[in-house]
Amino acid sequence: MMRWGYVGTVAAFGLSLCLSSLAASAEPAYVSVVREYVETVVKPMVNAAIVRKAIEEQNTKFGNVSDMDIQVLDNTYRSEIQAGGWQMVRHLLAKPVSRYLKSKQDDSQGAIIEFFVTDRHGLNVGQGTMTTDYWQGDEDKFLKTFATQSDEIFIDRAERDEQTQLLETQASFVIKDENGKPIGIATVTIAIDAL
């Protein structure tokens, strides 16, 4: 009788370990909602010819840009934001692809807070609003999508914005050309409360 009690305890302990590891690996509830929104709303926006064409043009323009040149571009962009010059920002926001992204962001009824696309190096091609940096190639949004050639949507951890108090997350995915070749990424910052 004592033996069965021991076996039952071991079995119960083993089952609880299995269940707790399943619970720990389960994704947060917002992830499936954000994934569905990106699949049904955002991806069709990004699939527009204006977006792909702008990315392909920048990929040609920057070709084999060096890591040092990328750092110079990113540092210049960041410096301009801090100094209030905004020459690079104004140039980016004036592009037709940026105006297109801004219009889609405005049409989202507050769901999309930030919307930008990059080239194959992770450099911004178009953006609906000013971003804090010009190069995304060293961040998870690029490293977990384009750098790994993943077809998955990378959805970052949700955080509450201190100013707006909105619960936000970023979702990023690879953009491909008409032949299915990866050419860049799209990133949207989404207000989860607005979905």
Side-chain angles (χ1 to χ4, degrees), residues 37 105-113 166 189-195:
Y37 183 79
Q105 182 177 331
D106 291 346
D107 291 345
S108 74
Q109 299 175 344
I112 298 175
I113 297 168
L166 293 172
T189 301
I190 294 175
I192 297 168
D193 305 325
L195 298 182

Side-chain angles (χ1 to χ4, degrees), residues 121-141:
H121 301 289
L123 296 167
N124 288 4
V125 173
Q127 53 197 49
T129 54
M130 182 172 65
T131 59
T132 56
D133 52 2
Y134 182 62
W135 182 51
Q136 316 302 325
D138 61 342
E139 298 179 30
D140 281 349
K141 62 179 68 91

Side-chain angles (χ1 to χ4, degrees), residues 55-64 120:
I55 294 171
E56 289 169 349
E57 286 173 357
Q58 185 160 307
N59 280 337
T60 300
K61 176 183 172 184
F62 284 131
N64 294 319
R120 65 189 175 110

Side-chain angles (χ1 to χ4, degrees), residues 22-148:
L22 282 175
S25 67
E27 59 188 26
Y30 71 86
V31 171
S32 62
V33 175
V34 169
R35 185 179 295 117
E36 177 70 18
Y37 183 79
V38 170
E39 286 286 354
T40 59
V41 178
V42 179
K43 280 191 173 184
M45 293 176 189
V46 173
N47 201 28
I50 190 172
V51 175
R52 284 199 314 269
K53 184 173 184 257
I55 294 171
E56 289 169 349
E57 286 173 357
Q58 185 160 307
N59 280 337
T60 300
K61 176 183 172 184
F62 284 131
N64 294 319
V65 65
S66 71
D67 290 344
M68 189 168 74
D69 288 338
I70 288 173
Q71 287 301 320
V72 168
L73 287 167
D74 191 46
N75 289 339
T76 301
Y77 183 94
R78 289 173 186 243
S79 296
E80 286 183 5
I81 290 174
Q82 288 177 351
W86 298 3
Q87 184 178 343
M88 285 180 74
V89 173
R90 280 196 296 270
H91 174 72
L92 269 168
L93 293 176
K95 290 172 130 184
V97 67
S98 293
R99 290 195 305 270
Y100 169 80
L101 295 174
K102 176 69 171 144
S103 72
K104 296 302 179 185
Q105 182 177 331
D106 291 346
D107 291 345
S108 74
Q109 299 175 344
I112 298 175
I113 297 168
E114 182 181 50
F115 198 176
F116 60 89
V117 295
T118 77
D119 64 15
R120 65 189 175 110
H121 301 289
L123 296 167
N124 288 4
V125 173
Q127 53 197 49
T129 54
M130 182 172 65
T131 59
T132 56
D133 52 2
Y134 182 62
W135 182 51
Q136 316 302 325
D138 61 342
E139 298 179 30
D140 281 349
K141 62 179 68 91
F142 189 85
L143 297 173
K144 294 189 175 186
T145 57
F146 194 89
T148 62

